[in-house]
Amino acid sequence: MSIPVLKFDAVIVGAGGAGLRSAIQLSEAGQKTAVLSKVFPTRSHTVAAQGGVAASLGNSEEDHWHWHMYDTVKGSDWLGDQDAIEFMCRKANEVVVELEHYGMPFDRLDNGKIYQRPFGGHMSNFGEKPVRRSCAAADRTGHAMLHAMYQRNVKANTQFFVEWMALDLIRDSEGAVVGVTAMEMETGQVVIFHAKAVIFATGGSGRIYYSSTNAFINTGDGLGMAARAGIPLEDMEFWQFHPTGVAGAGVLITEGVRGEGGILRNASKERFMERYAPNAKDLASRDVVSRAMATEIKEGRGCGPNKDYVLLDITHLDPATIMKRLPGIREIGIQFAGVDCIKEPLPVVPTCHYQMGGIPTNYSGRVVAPKNGELRAEVPGFYAAGECACASVHGANRLGTNSLLDLLVFGKSAGDSAVEDLKLGKAHRELPADAAAQSLARIDALNTRRGGASVNETRLAMQRTMQDHAGVFRFGDMLKQGVEKILEVEKAARQLEIGDKSLVWNTARVEALEMENLIEVAKATMISAEARKESRGAHVRDDAPDTPEHPNGRDDENWLKHTLFSPVDNTITYKPVNMTPLSVETIALKTRSY
Amino acid sequence: MTHDEIGKLRWRCVRRALLELDISLSRFLDERFSGLTDKDQRLFAELVEMEDHDLWYLISGQAECKEIRFEPIVAMLRKGTVS
C-alpha cells in the first residue's frame, strides 16, 4: 500500500504554547516547518491557563532570576535539574518581552510596564517573602498568548495541518527520528511526514485519571508515541492535584469557596478537617486538604453509592454572598453535579491537574535517553517541550505560573536546537521501508477487530484504577494492587474494538487511538509510583511519613534520582538529578517547608 | 445535516480548550441535538465556532447573548444547565 509522503525540514506535533513557540524559531529561520494539531491552534488546552507567566522583571518591586531559581528548586522538592532550572529562570525575561513584541496584551502598570502579581511559592530573597512575579493578561493569559504566537506563525509562513492526529514516531535503524505518521480526520488518510527534525509539544495526559481538570484533548499522544518507539518516560509518578474538582466531572471549584467559609464534610456530615488541621481546618494548604479527603474516602467515610467523594458545603452562607463573591460557582454546581449549592453541598474529590514528568530532554529541548551506558544520550532528530517533556524543571512539584514559562522557554529552546542542527546542512535521512507499518497495523486492527474491548469501558477502567490506586495520597498496598489492575486494563487496551468503521470524521477511531496513548502513560505512572518508596513533592505515600530522620517522608540518600520507565519491558532505571547549575552554586538540599 | 457534517461537528464539540465545554457540548449533542430542526442544528454548529471563554460565559449565564439569532440555542444550552 502506497502512503503519501510530505517532506519538511521540521515537523512539530501540537499547536499549543510550546508548539507555536518552537515553530516561530524554525519558520523565522527559513526552515520549511509543518505543525500538526488535533484542533485549531487557539483551541489548544493552553487557553485554559489563567494564572500568568513567571518572570523576574522586577516591575513592581526588586526581583532576581536567582531568587526565582531558588523557589523553583525548592518547589520541585529538589528533584528538578538545576542546570535546566537556571536556564529557564534566566531566560524568563527575554521570552516575556518577546511575547510582548508579538502583540501579547499584558496587563499594565500606570507607568506602562507589565503589571505583575504574586503567586504561591514565588518569593524574594531566597524564600523570604512573597514577590510579584506573575505577568498576566486578565484571566485569559493562555488564550492571549496563543493568539499572539499563532499570528506570528502565520506571518512566518508556518504550514498548519489542522485536525490531523499524529500516530507514530518514525525512527531509522540507528535510532534517529526521521518523521511521524499522521491521519487527516476529514479523510481518514494516513500520511508520512518526513523530516530532519521532529518536535513533540503535545501537552499533558491528565485524562488518565477519573477526575481531571484537563480538557478531553489531553490524552498523552506524544508520550504514547514516544513509548511505542522505545523512548523511556521520566518521573511519571509526579502529578499535581487540586483538592476540589467536581466529582465525576473534574471541573475546578476555586479555593475561594473555602475562603468564603465552605466546609468539607464526610458521609456522616462531619467537618473532618478539624481532625487533620485543628487550626487552619478547611483553609489548610492544598496538599493537606487533598490528603485528608483521600484518607476519608480510603477509610470508607466517603459519600455516594461508591463512597468515593466528600462534600463541600456552603449551604450555611447567605445566597447573596455566594452570588456576589463566588460568580459562576452556582452554575458549575448545577451544570456538572446537578446540585444547587445554595440548597445542597457539592460533591468534590482531589483532581488531577498537571503532569510533572514526561519525555526526557535536556535544557536545549533535545530528547535524551540511555544508550550504551550513557544515561543522557541525545536522540538524533528528536526534540520535546512543554507539559509532554521533562527537562526537568518542575521535579516533584510545579510552581504556579512556571508552566507557561516552561513552554515559552523550552519551546524556543527546542526550536533553536532544531535550527542549529538543520544548519549543518545534512540531507533527510532515509525513511525505513516499513515507516508506516505500525500505524497502518493499528488502524487496520481497529477496522477489522470483532469481539474486542469497548473504548469507553476500557478508558473508565483505567481512570478508576488510576484514581483509586495512584491518586493524591498513595498507599503501598493500593499501589501494588494498582500495578496488577493497570496491566489487566492494558490487555483490554491492546484489543479495542470500534463500532463505526467509516473513514471520514470518525471520532470513535480517534478516541481508540488516543486510548492506546493514554494506557502507556497510565502504566508508566502506576509502576513508577509503586517503585518510589519515599514521599517527595506531589508523590506522597502513607508508608513514607514525616519523621525526624526523613522530614516530609523524603529520603535523599536513596531517592534523590529521576525515574526512567522503559515501556518496552515495564522496567525502571534511575538517573541522578543534575545538582550543578550553569553559573551559580548548587542550591543545597533542605527540608521543603513554607 | 449529513453524517460527515455531524462527525465534524462532534469533533469540534468534544475537543475544546476548556473542560467545561467538552462536557456541556458533548452532553448537548448526545441528548438534544437530534431533536433540533436542521436550521437550529446549523445555528448550533455556528455557535460552537466561538472562542472558548466567550462560549462558556454565554452558556453558564455569566455573559449575555448579543446575537438574537443565537438566543434560542443559547436558551436550550442554558436550560440544559438547570434541568
Side-chain angles (χ1 to χ4, degrees):
Chain A
M1 187 179 178
S2 170
I3 302 293
V5 178
L6 298 176
K7 218 166 179 176
F8 287 89
D9 292 321
V11 170
I12 297 163
V13 183
L20 291 182
R21 188 65 193 81
S22 56
I24 291 171
Q25 293 311 105
L26 281 150
S27 293
E28 291 191 347
Q31 305 295 340
K32 189 181 172 195
T33 303
V35 176
L36 313 186
S37 177
K38 292 197 289 188
V39 295
F40 192 77
T42 52
R43 277 198 197 153
S44 305
H45 193 49
T46 305
V47 163
Q50 298 186 338
V53 51
S56 57
L57 296 168
N59 285 352
S60 296
E61 58 191 319
E62 189 184 0
D63 200 1
H64 196 283
W65 65 261
H66 201 184
W67 300 346
H68 184 190
M69 176 186 173
Y70 175 86
D71 298 337
T72 304
V73 171
K74 179 180 170 184
S76 81
D77 218 352
W78 275 266
L79 194 73
D81 286 330
Q82 295 196 15
D83 57 340
I85 295 175
E86 177 180 339
F87 181 82
M88 180 179 79
C89 296
R90 292 185 74 147
K91 283 273 184 186
N93 293 6
E94 173 187 316
V95 293
V96 165
V97 170
E98 278 168 354
L99 205 52
E100 186 184 33
H101 293 173
Y102 296 164
M104 168 97 174
F106 282 114
D107 296 342
R108 302 273 165 188
L109 292 164
D110 288 342
N111 65 10
K113 290 185 176 178
I114 294 173
Y115 170 81
Q116 295 187 279
R117 59 188 179 198
F119 221 90
H122 290 279
M123 316 283 274
S124 68
N125 205 17
F126 305 101
E128 205 174 87
K129 60 176 186 180
V131 70
R132 282 168 277 181
R133 187 177 287 151
S134 168
C135 313
D139 63 350
R140 296 192 185 191
T141 308
H143 175 259
M145 191 182 271
L146 281 189
H147 272 269
M149 292 200 289
Y150 178 64
Q151 296 300 334
R152 186 83 183 188
N153 270 293
V154 169
K155 185 180 170 196
N157 293 322
T158 301
Q159 197 169 333
F160 285 94
F161 290 80
V162 172
E163 292 167 337
W164 282 67
M165 181 181 184
L167 301 174
D168 285 291
L169 196 60
I170 306 171
R171 300 180 79 181
D172 68 10
S173 56
E174 291 171 26
V177 168
V178 294
V180 291
T181 51
M183 183 179 71
E184 185 183 25
M185 294 184 201
E186 191 174 358
T187 59
Q189 171 77 54
V190 174
V191 170
I192 291 171
F193 285 80
H194 189 192
K196 297 176 188 172
V198 172
I199 300 181
F200 273 10
T202 55
S205 326
R207 298 309 306 176
I208 65 167
Y209 282 95
Y210 183 66
S211 192
S212 172
T213 67
N214 286 201
F216 291 177
I217 199 170
N218 284 14
T219 54
D221 299 338
L223 279 73
M225 286 187 276
R228 279 192 298 280
I231 307 279
L233 302 179
E234 180 171 337
D235 291 342
M236 290 306 298
E237 61 271 44
F238 297 101
W239 289 82
Q240 195 165 60
F241 280 70
H242 192 287
T244 53
V246 174
V251 174
L252 268 189
I253 301 284
T254 164
E255 277 159 328
V257 172
R258 280 175 290 130
E260 289 297 331
I263 293 170
L264 289 161
R265 300 188 189 279
N266 60 20
S268 323
K269 306 281 187 287
E270 181 203 6
R271 184 181 193 179
F272 60 84
M273 282 310 300
E274 287 180 332
R275 280 188 277 115
Y276 296 90
N279 295 322
K281 295 180 184 135
D282 302 278
L283 293 176
S285 62
R286 274 186 187 185
D287 55 335
V288 171
V289 173
S290 294
R291 257 175 269 156
M293 292 166 70
T295 304
E296 290 298 298
I297 292 167
K298 170 155 199 273
E299 295 181 354
R301 294 188 290 278
C303 307
N306 298 320
K307 297 176 179 290
D308 56 357
Y309 59 83
V310 297
L311 297 170
L312 178 57
D313 187 1
I314 52 172
T315 56
H316 53 289
L317 301 182
D318 176 8
T321 304
I322 295 173
M323 302 303 279
K324 184 178 166 199
R325 298 264 175 81
L326 302 168
I329 287 300
R330 191 175 180 211
E331 288 81 4
I332 285 176
I334 291 168
Q335 171 94 348
F336 302 112
V339 160
D340 184 350
C341 62
I342 288 173
K343 299 174 191 154
E344 286 176 84
L346 293 160
V348 291
V349 284
T351 295
C352 163
H353 188 54
Y354 187 86
Q355 159 194 310
M356 266 77 72
I359 301 166
T361 70
N362 55 25
Y363 67 79
S364 303
R366 292 185 169 94
V367 175
V368 291
K371 188 177 182 183
N372 302 331
E374 164 59 49
L375 288 169
R376 291 179 161 93
E378 291 176 3
V379 179
F382 195 22
Y383 316 78
E387 194 170 339
C388 75
C390 182
S392 141
V393 285
H394 308 303
N397 183 56
R398 176 188 64 98
L399 289 190
T401 70
N402 266 355
S403 47
L404 288 183
L405 179 60
D406 169 347
L407 58 82
L408 288 173
V409 169
F410 295 108
K412 180 178 182 186
S413 166
D416 280 341
S417 297
V419 169
E420 193 182 307
D421 295 345
L422 289 166
K423 279 188 175 163
L424 297 174
K426 293 182 184 168
H428 281 77
R429 283 171 175 259
E430 224 173 283
L431 284 170
D434 60 351
Q438 186 176 27
S439 301
L440 294 176
R442 290 172 63 208
I443 287 183
D444 187 53
L446 290 172
N447 286 344
T448 54
R449 187 175 289 124
R450 298 275 185 265
S454 138
V455 175
N456 283 345
E457 285 171 18
T458 306
R459 190 195 304 112
L460 189 61
M462 171 193 68
Q463 291 173 332
R464 283 283 190 195
T465 302
M466 296 309 295
Q467 192 80 26
D468 294 345
H469 294 266
V472 68
F473 190 28
R474 295 163 176 184
F475 304 85
D477 56 334
M478 294 291 280
L479 285 165
K480 277 202 165 65
Q481 291 167 20
V483 171
E484 287 173 24
K485 284 191 180 181
I486 208 69
L487 293 175
E488 277 302 308
V489 176
E490 186 192 14
K491 288 180 193 165
R494 304 268 177 245
Q495 297 293 323
L496 295 175
E497 180 187 342
I498 51 173
D500 181 0
K501 315 282 189 191
S502 63
L503 271 181
V504 175
W505 291 112
N506 186 339
T507 307
R509 178 186 290 122
V510 175
E511 288 181 348
L513 293 165
E514 289 176 333
M515 180 63 219
E516 292 176 351
N517 293 326
L518 283 166
I519 193 64
E520 298 288 353
V521 181
K523 190 176 67 167
T525 297
M526 188 68 82
I527 293 175
S528 303
E530 195 282 325
R532 184 176 284 272
K533 305 287 193 296
E534 66 155 356
S535 296
R536 182 184 298 269
H539 173 68
V540 184
R541 293 178 64 123
D542 173 62
D543 51 5
D546 183 24
T547 62
E549 194 189 0
H550 297 300
N552 298 333
R554 197 178 88 194
D555 176 2
D556 291 325
E557 199 181 325
N558 294 302
W559 290 102
L560 183 63
K561 54 190 180 185
H562 295 293
T563 304
L564 283 179
F565 173 79
S566 166
V568 178
D569 51 7
N570 294 349
T571 55
I572 286 176
T573 52
Y574 293 95
K575 67 177 179 183
V577 174
N578 188 328
M579 300 290 284
T580 310
L582 300 172
S583 71
V584 292
E585 287 191 8
T586 296
I587 293 174
L589 289 163
K590 242 170 88 171
T591 300
R592 177 169 162 262
S593 64
Y594 290 99
Chain B
M1 288 179 105
T2 64
H3 173 270
D4 291 355
E5 283 176 319
I6 291 174
K8 180 176 172 179
L9 175 64
R10 173 166 290 278
W11 181 250
R12 290 181 181 180
C13 286
V14 300
R15 290 296 179 279
R16 306 293 299 206
L18 300 180
L19 175 64
E20 288 87 341
L21 290 179
D22 284 338
I23 298 173
S24 50
L25 296 182
S26 55
R27 189 190 295 162
F28 187 85
L29 268 186
D30 291 339
E31 295 173 4
R32 308 287 297 272
F33 183 78
S34 63
L36 300 183
T37 63
D38 187 66
K39 180 176 164 248
D40 283 346
Q41 288 185 343
R42 290 182 189 284
L43 268 176
F44 174 75
E46 206 181 322
L47 180 72
V48 302
E49 290 301 313
M50 277 177 80
E51 296 277 8
D52 276 54
H53 288 288
D54 294 332
L55 184 54
W56 170 239
Y57 287 151
L58 198 57
I59 292 175
S60 64
Q62 296 175 74
E64 290 305 312
C65 182
K66 288 175 184 162
E67 288 196 56
I68 293 171
R69 66 202 178 101
F70 286 138
E71 276 179 0
I73 294 292
V74 171
M76 274 187 265
L77 281 159
R78 285 183 182 169
K79 200 173 172 190
T81 73
V82 292
S83 60

